[in-house]
Structure formats: C-alpha cells, structure tokens
Amino acid sequence: AQSVTQLDSHVSVSEGTPVLLRCNYSSSYSPSLFWYVQHPNKGLQLLLKYTSAATLVKGINGFEAEFKKSETSFHLTKPSAHMSDAAEYFCVVKSQDNFNKFYFGSGTKLNVKP
Amino acid sequence: EAQVTQNPRYLITVTGKKLTVTCSQNMNHEYMSWYRQDPGLGLRQIYYSMNVEVTDKGDVPEGYKVSRKEKRNFPLILESPSPNQTSLYFCASRWTSGGGDTQYFGPGTRLTVL
C-alpha cells in the first residue's frame, strides 16, 4: 500500500529565508506525487505534481520539489519565504493499486515570521 | 468560473438527525470524491465516484452514503450522524481521461455533531 509521511508537523521560518518541507513516500512503483497548499479557511490548491517526467518539478508561487527515488523523498522547497506562504501543506501520493484513491500526509503548517 | 461548490459551509446538528452536504462542479469532471480532514491526520478519502451511477468506498466510508445521479453533483449523506463525524469535509473533482491527476477542491464544510 502507498503512504506518505510528512516529517514535520510545524515549520517556522523568517521572511526571505529558504523553506524546506519534507515528505517521504512508500510505493513499490514509480509514484504520482503532489503537493497541495491550504490557506486558512480555504480549500486545497495544487502547488505541483510529479508524474514520472523531470525529477525537479516547478510549481506555482516559486515552489519546487525534487523526486529522489533512492531516498523515497519528495521535499518541497522555496528559496525565499513570503508572508503569504503561511499555510498548511500536504504531500499526496496516488495509489498504484487503484488510480481513484489518493493518500494524504498529515500536513505541515508553515509559519513565516516577519 | 471553474469551481467546486459545497453547501452548507458550516453546520451544527445533533446526533441522529439525517443531513446532506451538497457538492457541485461545473467543469464536466468525471471523477468526484469526498474527504474528511481531522487535525494531525491530513485528509482521508470517504467515497469517490468515477462517473454517473458509479461509486466506491474510500478508506473511511462507515457512517456515510453518497449518490451520483448527475455528473455535476455528488452529495454526501449522513443518515444518523454521530459526534465522531465532527470534522471538516472537502469535495473534490478531476478529469479521468488524458491522465488527469489534479484534483480541484471545494471550500470545505465544517460539521459539528453534538
């Protein structure tokens, strides 16, 4: 079965400093992986996705993620945090057994300090 | 505007009183899904539907029902709500053809069962 583990429940950075949100996945196959963002009291929005093309995936708002098969990781990064990046971020894997099922990590809340 | 809408956005009810949360999408997506979000657990899939009259269980279907009589609508039904169904609920939709993986989420429905 597929699963994702988000290694940090909370991350706090200062505005202008780099962001690193960590995600490890378990999958027997080459997975489809996603990062979604949820701003307070809002629905989820896709940041980026990996579907077996380039291992470095660029998303919206300056975010990117690198798929590393050897480390089973899909960490989300941004070179310089902005106050508007404060939100909760979810790493998601699409099931390989049933393409209609998706598994979410427990989420990482990003706090950006001025 | 392409969107997924949910109603109501907030609902407080009592144990055992049947309720329905509606979900509608205007993007002609084949696939629709319901999730619940609980602190520290991320989002968990309740039910999904691949098309009209085709539904299947997700990981936490107990206590919920769904129907898909029209392509655009996918209501979530709680026949006899209990306090452990107090949660934040999200509806999502996506294409299934052409490798569509991106899910589009509604704004969420916060349900409290007393």
Side-chain angles (χ1 to χ4, degrees), chain A residues 59-111:
Chain A
I60 61 172
N61 300 333
F63 284 94
E64 60 183 40
E66 187 171 7
F67 174 73
K68 291 188 177 180
K69 188 174 181 178
S70 60
E71 299 177 10
T72 61
S73 69
F74 190 57
H75 302 335
L76 183 70
T77 60
K78 182 173 181 178
S80 176
H82 192 272
M83 295 297 292
S84 60
D85 295 328
E88 188 160 21
Y89 293 78
F90 293 96
C91 185
V92 183
V93 65
K94 182 180 178 182
S95 172
Q96 295 297 307
D97 303 319
N98 179 341
F99 291 164
N100 293 302
K101 298 182 79 171
F102 293 81
Y103 297 98
F104 283 70
S106 54
T108 299
K109 288 186 177 176
L110 176 65
N111 178 44

Side-chain angles (χ1 to χ4, degrees), chain B residues 12-13 17 71 76 94 103:
Chain B
I12 301 174
T13 189
K17 186 176 181 182
K71 197 172 187 179
L76 179 70
R94 67 180 177 99
Q103 294 187 80

Side-chain angles (χ1 to χ4, degrees), chain A residues 32 34 36 38 41-46 49 51 88 90 92 94 98-107, chain B residues 9 31 35 37 40-43 45 48 50 57-59 88 90 94 96 99-103 105-107:
Chain A
S32 293
F34 311 80
Y36 282 85
Q38 182 182 30
N41 300 313
K42 300 283 188 184
L44 283 78
Q45 180 185 18
L46 180 71
K49 63 180 179 180
T51 52
E88 188 160 21
F90 293 96
V92 183
K94 182 180 178 182
N98 179 341
F99 291 164
N100 293 302
K101 298 182 79 171
F102 293 81
Y103 297 98
F104 283 70
S106 54
Chain B
R9 294 289 313 280
Y31 176 100
Y35 295 87
Q37 182 181 14
L41 297 178
L43 277 73
Q45 200 163 19
Y48 60 91
M50 292 75 74
K57 296 177 181 178
D59 293 313
L88 179 58
F90 288 99
R94 67 180 177 99
T96 53
D101 281 332
T102 302
Q103 294 187 80
F105 285 83

Side-chain angles (χ1 to χ4, degrees), chain B residues 5-26:
Chain B
T5 58
Q6 295 178 228
N7 282 292
R9 294 289 313 280
Y10 303 90
L11 179 59
I12 301 174
T13 189
V14 294
T15 298
K17 186 176 181 182
K18 181 179 179 180
L19 67 91
T20 299
V21 183
T22 65
C23 173
S24 182
Q25 50 94 6
N26 63 1

Side-chain angles (χ1 to χ4, degrees), chain B residues 73-106:
Chain B
N73 296 324
F74 190 44
L76 179 70
I77 303 156
L78 285 71
E79 295 267 3
S80 182
S82 63
N84 65 12
Q85 292 178 298
T86 292
S87 188
L88 179 58
Y89 291 86
F90 288 99
C91 180
S93 70
R94 67 180 177 99
W95 285 285
T96 53
S97 57
D101 281 332
T102 302
Q103 294 187 80
Y104 296 83
F105 285 83

